[in-house]
Amino acid sequence: DFYLHLDIFDPHEPWDPPEDILKQFDPRGYDVPGIGAAAPYAPWRENLTENQFNAFRARYAAKVVFLDRWLGRLFDMMDQLDLWKDTLVILTTDHATFNGDHGRIGKLQTHEHDAVGHIPFIAAHPDPALHGQRREQLVQLVDLFPTILAATGRPLPEAQPEKPLHGINLLPVMEDANTPT
């Protein structure tokens, strides 16, 4: 019995992947003048040349590959330890980033477009009957708390007027596609 929460910051700024991975997307690697490790949160055409913009996109893509490799190692270890049969794995994020969508780069501190606000919530449930399914219900990050407590058999604390509880347990949604949220 254990609970492990990994707050993996990648692919977040700074966009500083290993250069060997970066060179798969941009042969110049880090030798691109005029850019740093973080893209401006702005319309890119107002702040960058197309060459700089493409260098930032390459850095972001390399960060995604870097993260993918490490998640692959974690999942391989879960295979080796046979953890999938009794482990709930949830992958999500707090926001996405613009990589040219709507002419922008970075996150702009706004979630008005799907490119930043429509984030994944992927759950690998130990019950094989629930594998490979998709749900249409709207879920939010506040749903993690009650879902994780339910999955670990822990009760929700009682809500207090000064500390209201938000979010819902998503296990029923995982079990039945018709469950309302």
Side-chain angles (χ1 to χ4, degrees):
D1 291 333
F2 68 93
Y3 171 76
L4 172 64
H5 183 110
L6 297 176
D7 184 358
I8 302 170
F9 208 57
D10 284 330
H12 201 281
E13 304 98 344
W15 293 345
D16 57 354
E19 194 166 25
D20 63 314
I21 300 174
L22 176 57
K23 285 186 174 185
Q24 294 175 25
F25 297 94
D26 187 342
R28 299 169 298 170
Y30 285 108
D31 190 24
V32 179
I35 67 169
Y41 299 167
W44 74 265
R45 285 185 172 87
E46 296 174 14
N47 296 280
L48 303 169
T49 66
E50 189 165 343
N51 191 34
Q52 292 168 326
F53 171 68
N54 288 331
F56 273 124
R57 290 179 62 163
R59 287 183 182 198
Y60 186 81
K63 287 287 270 201
V64 170
V65 169
F66 179 67
L67 171 62
D68 185 61
R69 287 183 182 176
W70 282 103
L71 282 176
R73 290 185 66 173
L74 172 66
F75 295 160
D76 288 346
M77 185 56 66
M78 289 188 66
D79 289 343
Q80 290 175 24
L81 298 174
D82 198 25
L83 292 175
W84 294 105
K85 69 180 180 208
D86 60 2
T87 304
L88 172 64
V89 176
I90 298 173
L91 300 173
T92 190
T93 184
D94 59 341
H95 62 80
T97 189
F98 293 108
N99 279 310
D101 309 79
H102 305 283
R104 301 173 182 199
I105 192 165
K107 57 189 174 199
L108 286 176
Q109 303 298 319
T110 180
H111 294 77
E112 65 191 48
H113 299 290
D114 277 356
V116 174
H118 190 174
I119 61 173
F121 186 95
I122 302 167
H125 196 283
D127 182 349
L130 303 179
H131 294 180
Q133 297 184 27
R134 183 181 184 101
R135 301 290 185 258
E136 297 299 323
Q137 290 91 334
L138 176 66
V139 300
Q140 302 177 69
L141 293 177
V142 297
D143 298 330
L144 285 172
F145 180 61
T147 302
I148 292 167
L149 286 179
T152 58
R154 310 282 181 181
L156 273 172
E158 288 190 38
Q160 305 295 321
E162 66 279 1
K163 294 182 182 178
L165 293 176
H166 302 283
I168 62 166
N169 171 10
L170 294 174
L171 292 179
V173 174
M174 292 178 207
E175 294 164 1
D176 181 356
N178 297 313
T179 300
T181 55

